[in-house]
Amino acid sequence: MTPPRARTWGHKGSTPVVRVRGRGSGRVSVAGLTCYKPGQRFRMFYSVREYRGRKGEPKGIGWRDLRDLLIRAHIQLSGPIVLVWDNLRMHLAEPLREFIANNADWLTVFQLPSYSPDLNPQEGIWSLVKRDIGNFAAADLGQITRAVKRKLKQIQYRPDLVDGCLAGTGLILDG
């Protein structure tokens, strides 16, 4: 994850500069679910993966990670899941489609149109995380991972932020 740029304050006449190493030391990938149920508090599940460039190491979130995230959500929510997600290539992978078909009794999936981040409340969550770590000069990949996890944990305890992400989409819940 390259550091996102953000604005900050500085002394008049001197521009603040945040230096980071130019070499890519890896990547942080995150997958997440925001679960809503009328009359109840939201729930958020996420999975974070580091890629350090080692041989044989997966570069990001794979279909197995998404499957495990869905299973974890199903177990913790103890009920059926109606999943609305975008057309990310990994969401359309054949093994994941087979998993969805085999678990149709508790998992229903609706695909969003091809490019519609404005309809996806999870995009609001990612925006909040990226804004928080803007201009964050990490010494190593572990620091970035900890910062991302810390921000996601903070968001989990702020229902007003997550409800705002749903309201920003214009979608409503029918009870």
Side-chain angles (χ1 to χ4, degrees):
M1 183 173 193
T2 57
R5 292 183 351 189
R7 294 183 178 263
T8 186
W9 296 95
H11 294 289
K12 187 174 181 179
S14 66
T15 303
V17 177
V18 178
R19 300 202 185 282
V20 294
R21 290 192 287 260
R23 62 186 171 99
S25 61
R27 174 189 315 176
V28 177
S29 299
V30 184
L33 297 171
T34 308
C35 306
Y36 300 95
K37 190 172 185 179
Q40 293 188 8
R41 186 176 179 271
F42 77 93
R43 299 285 300 271
M44 191 169 81
F45 303 92
Y46 58 88
S47 177
V48 179
R49 171 167 291 216
E50 287 182 354
Y51 170 67
R52 297 184 179 276
R54 296 184 180 121
K55 189 174 183 176
E57 181 182 26
K59 289 187 178 179
I61 302 288
W63 72 268
R64 287 181 183 92
D65 299 313
L66 294 174
R67 178 199 61 198
D68 295 345
L69 187 64
L70 288 169
I71 291 170
R72 194 172 79 213
H74 174 62
I75 290 169
Q76 289 189 21
L77 295 172
S78 64
I81 295 176
V82 177
L83 183 65
V84 180
W85 65 13
D86 54 14
N87 287 323
L88 182 69
R89 187 169 32 119
M90 193 54 57
H91 295 167
L92 304 174
E94 188 59 35
L96 195 56
R97 286 182 174 270
E98 290 174 10
F99 169 77
I100 292 166
N102 293 336
N103 294 289
D105 55 322
W106 62 267
L107 182 60
T108 306
V109 177
F110 293 100
Q111 296 289 141
L112 288 171
S114 290
Y115 184 74
S116 55
D118 51 331
L119 294 176
N120 189 350
Q122 194 65 35
E123 293 295 334
I125 303 292
W126 302 143
S127 174
L128 291 169
V129 172
K130 289 178 183 178
R131 184 173 48 186
D132 189 62
I133 63 171
N135 287 343
F136 178 63
D140 61 358
L141 190 61
Q143 263 189 325
I144 295 173
T145 303
R146 285 189 298 277
V148 168
K149 286 182 177 180
R150 182 175 51 247
K151 185 59 181 178
L152 286 169
K153 187 57 112 174
Q154 289 172 351
I155 291 171
Q156 280 184 318
Y157 292 101
R158 297 280 312 274
D160 55 322
L161 288 178
V162 180
D163 289 342
C165 292
L166 178 63
T169 65
L171 301 174
I172 58 169
L173 295 175
D174 288 334

